[in-house]
DNA sequence: GCTGTAATTGAACATCGTTCAATAAAGCCA
DNA sequence: TGGCTTTATTGAACGATGTTCAATTACAGC
């Protein structure tokens, strides 16, 4: 109808993202459609396009909230103040548990493939940086006296690796033989990597 | 029209897969549509559905050919008969070079997300196994006297990790700071992992 | 109560994957 | 050669998708 002003733009944005999360949790990425999100919040498609540039934009913002949750879970785990390798295990476990519990949503983090020279928005890179920062701190306090640059690079290598294990497991590209759990694989990675770094 | 019999089913299948590869290389995954593939090989949509169950099936078979190529490249590299860590570097480099040269196609390997209890077809798991087998051999000859199970598990962990680095790089989730190349990151991973394994 | 503003709608468009009755070309037999 | 059967191939049809935008309607101020 006409102007109702039941909700502000920002409220509609939040409602839509919430509804989208529920839809994805229920039916995975392919279940997410503009009309479904609109219907779930009691509006119509047109309204969504006042608040989001397009569906990709909505997905991107949803991914932002996923990264926030991921960061929060890892931060909570770090609060338990383990030290050394145990702290890295804890971070990896938090990451993996989230990925397995919320797998459709976590999967969506990689769904969007940027074009050749498109670049991620700054706010998104910042959220990614937070997660890596956490790993960096923990790694720094685990392997002694290495320079900052090495630590920062190693943290990225290590976390990309944890991520890789997670992805192949969850997307079932890794079942063949072995039969280890994701957690066990991550431990093996951390053990050897940290051992190697501390020579 | 009616029956032309210009090509056998198998020939049509190969033509379609070839055309699909070209389309993906040109415009990425989202450019791949049934009508485009059909037009490219001089048939209509209907014909595609005589040869493929659906578009997912086509993508799956295309992924099979990608795995074959990947395996071949890695095998060629191994023929140069390096040994030790150098051999692992060579495998990783072959993998990474392929991923970067054929990134839309390589990206497609992870595009399909299986449902909760769907399982990959055997022929696909076999192709995956081939790739891992190559890493296994190489790793076994690099770190001395470890039992087979440990090697096989470690090979999976290591390659999932290389894969993770590749994915985050190519999908631009990893630019922040550091500025290492994918290859350098993989070397760092292999160095530390192998060092750690050989205690 | 009237009017102007703007929030909201939903029909319209192009395109998608997928299906299947209709069609026309090839093979075959007399 | 001509007619009949077979079947490979077609393409219109269907429902659903993302996206747009003129039309509609509810509110705010006078």
């Amino acid at each position: 109808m006409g102007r109702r002003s039941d909700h502000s733009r920002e409220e509609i944005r939040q409602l839509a993202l919430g509804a989208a999360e529920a839809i994805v949790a229920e039916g995975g990425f392919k279940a997410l459609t503009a009309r479904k999100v609109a219907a779930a919040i009691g509006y119509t498609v047109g309204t969504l396009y006042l608040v989001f540039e397009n569906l990709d934009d909505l997905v991107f913002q949803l991914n932002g909230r996923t990264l926030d949750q991921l960061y929060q879970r890892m931060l909570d785990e770090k609060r338990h103040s383990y030290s050394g390798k145990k702290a890295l295990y804890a971070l990896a476990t938090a990451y993996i548990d989230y990925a397995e519990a919320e797998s459709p949503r976590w999967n969506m983090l990689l769904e969007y493939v940027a074009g050749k020279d498109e670049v991620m928005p700054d706010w998104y890179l910042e959220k990614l940086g937070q997660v890596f920062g956490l790993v960096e701190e923990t790694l720094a306090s685990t392997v002694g006296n290495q320079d900052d640059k090495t630590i920062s690079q190693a943290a990225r290598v290590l976390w990309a690796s944890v991520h890789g294990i997670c992805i192949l497991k969850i997307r079932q590209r890794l079942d063949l033989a072995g039969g280890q759990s994701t957690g066990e694989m991550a431990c093996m990675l951390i053990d050897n990597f940290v051992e190697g770094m501390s020579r």
Side-chain angles (χ1 to χ4, degrees), chain A:
Chain A
M1 322 279 149
R3 95 156 141 222
R4 296 185 333 202
S5 303
D6 286 348
H7 305 98
S8 70
R9 296 251 143 137
E10 179 57 22
E11 281 171 332
I12 293 180
R13 203 177 71 90
Q14 296 297 340
L15 282 174
L17 288 174
E21 282 171 5
I23 292 167
V24 169
E26 179 72 27
F29 180 57
K30 48 188 193 310
L32 185 68
T33 72
R35 282 174 241 265
K36 255 193 256 183
V37 173
I41 64 173
Y43 282 86
T44 53
V45 257
T47 304
L48 275 189
Y49 284 83
L50 297 172
V51 169
F52 302 99
E53 206 176 312
N54 50 39
L55 255 213
D56 271 356
D57 181 31
L58 187 154
V59 169
F60 233 89
Q61 295 195 32
L62 201 158
N63 282 345
R65 297 191 3 163
T66 303
L67 283 180
D68 285 342
Q69 281 194 17
L70 215 32
Y71 175 68
Q72 209 48 244
R73 301 273 183 110
M74 289 169 70
L75 198 61
D76 286 352
E77 206 53 44
K78 201 169 157 55
R79 285 266 154 66
H80 291 41
S81 68
Y82 298 113
S83 68
K85 270 202 281 202
K86 254 201 177 159
L88 285 172
Y89 293 160
L91 282 190
T93 303
Y95 188 84
I96 289 168
D97 286 351
Y98 184 88
E100 288 182 340
E102 309 271 4
S103 67
R105 194 173 165 176
W106 179 82
N107 265 317
M108 229 171 26
L109 286 177
L110 283 194
E111 214 79 49
Y112 172 79
V113 180
K116 205 123 199 148
D117 36 32
E118 293 173 274
V119 78
M120 305 269 156
D122 283 346
W123 61 265
Y124 194 83
L125 291 177
E126 203 169 323
K127 285 179 195 297
L128 274 175
Q130 266 189 322
V131 173
F132 282 121
L134 214 48
V135 180
E136 234 169 85
E137 284 176 35
T138 312
L139 185 63
S141 73
T142 303
V143 305
N145 46 302
Q146 309 252 3
D147 65 295
D148 286 359
K149 186 158 185 188
T150 307
I151 290 289
S152 134
Q153 294 184 336
R156 271 155 188 77
V157 168
L158 183 60
W159 221 246
S161 301
V162 169
H163 186 85
I165 292 172
C166 233
I167 250 214
L168 291 192
K169 258 295 180 184
I170 286 188
R171 301 209 176 171
Q172 302 179 31
R173 264 78 165 174
L174 213 51
D175 308 286
L176 358 110
Q180 326 170 72
S181 73
T182 320
E184 286 164 345
M185 295 181 76
C187 283
M188 188 183 219
L189 168 71
I190 292 171
D191 274 341
N192 288 322
F193 190 85
V194 168
E195 196 68 39
M197 273 197 82
S198 5
R199 193 74 58 217

